[in-house]
Amino acid sequence: PLQQLHVSWTGDGEVRTLKFAQWHGGHVMPTGDALLSGYYLNELLIRLLAREDTNVPVFDAYAAAMLVLATVHGEALEPALRAFELVLLREAGHLPALDAQTLTMAPLVDGERYSLVPEGGLVRARPGETRGTLEAHEWRALEEALGQPAPFVATLRVAAAMMACLKPQLRALLHYHCGVNQLRTRQLMMDLQ
């Protein structure tokens, strides 16, 4: 589990014949919360990517996230999860541009707060609403990070500063696109706590 393998197979349809499987080495197996976080990332991949999708940016981000999960613990896990979620949502086509309001494509206004809504994209927050919103410059920083050659690392740095507001927005967006109210790994984490 959570290790990189190189495999080849033959056959059509649902039944395949395994021809070759080799472990590519890697990191120490995560434990505790990091292990559950790894299973969470796997669940996201299964739910949001098409079967046999060879989305290289997503799997590069997955490998980088697994390295982080194997080496850090506690609160340091959260930025890695948010960065991976952002990269996955962008590559799967479920994350709108984060430098403009989705419905009007109007640029974000400095000093204003915006929220990410599953059915509406990035929308301006109501006056006085701060919970679950980010400022325009924060959304633009995330958009710029996602456009970097190594989006996971760049997004990890940016997302670390805005965890409390970003998490509920991404959770709602993921649940919407996964078609569930609660992901199984999240329920497992709550049951274990």
Side-chain angles (χ1 to χ4, degrees):
L2 311 177
Q3 299 290 317
Q4 187 176 9
L5 301 173
H6 178 79
V7 297
S8 64
W9 61 87
T10 61
D12 291 331
E14 293 295 316
V15 179
R16 308 283 176 96
T17 302
L18 180 64
K19 298 300 244 179
F20 175 81
Q22 181 179 12
W23 177 58
H24 270 257
H27 49 78
V28 175
M29 183 71 167
T31 60
D33 289 343
L35 178 61
L36 291 174
S37 296
Y39 288 144
Y40 166 72
L41 297 184
N42 284 353
E43 183 177 5
L44 291 179
L45 289 172
I46 289 168
R47 288 185 177 273
L48 292 176
L49 293 182
R51 188 172 186 178
E52 297 185 28
D53 187 357
T54 57
N55 193 316
V56 174
V58 169
F59 286 99
D60 286 347
Y62 178 79
M66 284 299 119
L67 183 60
V68 171
L69 295 181
T71 56
V72 300
H73 300 286
E75 295 298 317
L77 296 174
E78 290 287 324
L81 297 178
R82 299 301 79 82
F84 179 79
E85 291 166 349
L86 285 163
V87 171
L88 176 60
L89 285 165
R90 174 57 54 87
E91 291 297 323
H94 300 307
L95 186 69
L98 300 177
D99 56 358
Q101 295 179 60
T102 303
L103 297 177
T104 63
M105 293 309 294
L108 303 183
V109 178
D110 286 332
E112 293 288 331
R113 298 188 75 82
Y114 296 85
S115 59
L116 190 58
V117 179
E119 294 180 354
L122 199 58
V123 297
R124 184 180 287 188
R126 289 174 285 193
E129 181 182 10
T130 58
R131 187 171 184 264
T133 65
L134 294 172
E135 290 189 21
H137 71 90
E138 294 173 310
W139 286 116
R140 284 194 294 266
L142 285 170
E143 179 66 30
E144 184 179 334
L146 286 166
Q148 296 296 316
F152 176 80
V153 175
T155 305
L156 178 63
R157 291 184 183 124
V158 174
M162 52 190 81
M163 298 310 309
C165 292
L166 193 56
K167 183 177 180 175
Q169 294 181 79
L170 291 179
R171 182 177 290 160
L173 190 60
L174 287 164
H175 288 178
Y176 177 79
H177 289 293
C178 289
V180 297
N181 290 331
Q182 185 90 348
L183 293 167
R184 289 181 182 172
T185 47
R186 172 121 172 89
Q187 184 62 48
L188 176 63
M189 286 180 200
M190 291 184 339
D191 291 345
L192 290 173
Q193 290 174 351

